[in-house]
Amino acid sequence: MTDVPCSLYFDKVKRGELGVKSGRGFYSYPTPGKFVKPNIQTPPKVPFARLISLAVNEAAWLVSTGVVKTEDVDTVMRLGFNFPKGLVQIGRELGLSEVERHLREISKRGFAAYEPIGNLVGIFSR
């Protein structure tokens, strides 16, 4: 896969703004390690399925190559990364075909990392 550079992330890491872990990132949290759902005043300009599509695609790659089982992806995201839901669950709730549509659309713009790994519904039924 090809890297998708984004200087914004590098700048945040340099400043120690690591999200929930540090108490500050794209949002502010009450204390380091304490997650609260951010209060977002304006609706996002980008659909959430588009934002999460690369992560769901990476999870599909892990499952399709036999590195992990589908249920392991969600367990790691909830317990290891403190996500309220796992990537597969989020993808299913958003609609895996919708996630795939965003992946194809972005990859056609020259971002090879977004090329869908395969049929997400089929991969996550394993």
Side-chain angles (χ1 to χ4, degrees), residues 17-68:
E17 297 176 7
L18 307 174
V20 174
K21 179 189 270 187
S22 66
R24 175 176 289 221
F26 290 101
Y27 307 103
S28 294
Y29 301 94
T31 60
K34 176 71 175 158
F35 174 81
V36 293
K37 186 175 180 179
N39 184 11
I40 301 171
Q41 299 297 321
T42 58
K45 295 177 183 172
V46 177
F48 185 63
R50 188 176 190 92
L51 293 175
I52 200 79
S53 64
L54 183 60
V56 174
N57 204 37
E58 290 293 324
W61 179 83
L62 290 169
V63 172
S64 70
T65 57
V67 173
V68 296

Side-chain angles (χ1 to χ4, degrees), residues 113-125:
Y114 284 84
E115 182 66 35
I117 294 303
N119 177 296
L120 298 182
V121 173
I123 291 170
F124 291 134
S125 66

Side-chain angles (χ1 to χ4, degrees), residues 55-108:
V56 174
N57 204 37
E58 290 293 324
W61 179 83
L62 290 169
V63 172
S64 70
T65 57
V67 173
V68 296
K69 295 179 182 171
T70 298
E71 58 272 9
D72 297 336
V73 172
D74 284 356
T75 300
V76 166
M77 295 312 295
R78 284 185 288 100
L79 301 180
F81 289 92
N82 203 25
F83 274 36
K85 299 177 182 181
L87 290 171
V88 178
Q89 181 182 357
I90 292 169
R92 286 178 174 150
E93 288 176 4
L94 294 169
L96 291 169
S97 59
E98 179 71 3
V99 172
E100 273 186 56
R101 185 180 70 75
H102 286 289
L103 289 166
R104 283 191 300 277
E105 187 179 289
I106 297 167
S107 69
K108 285 180 184 174

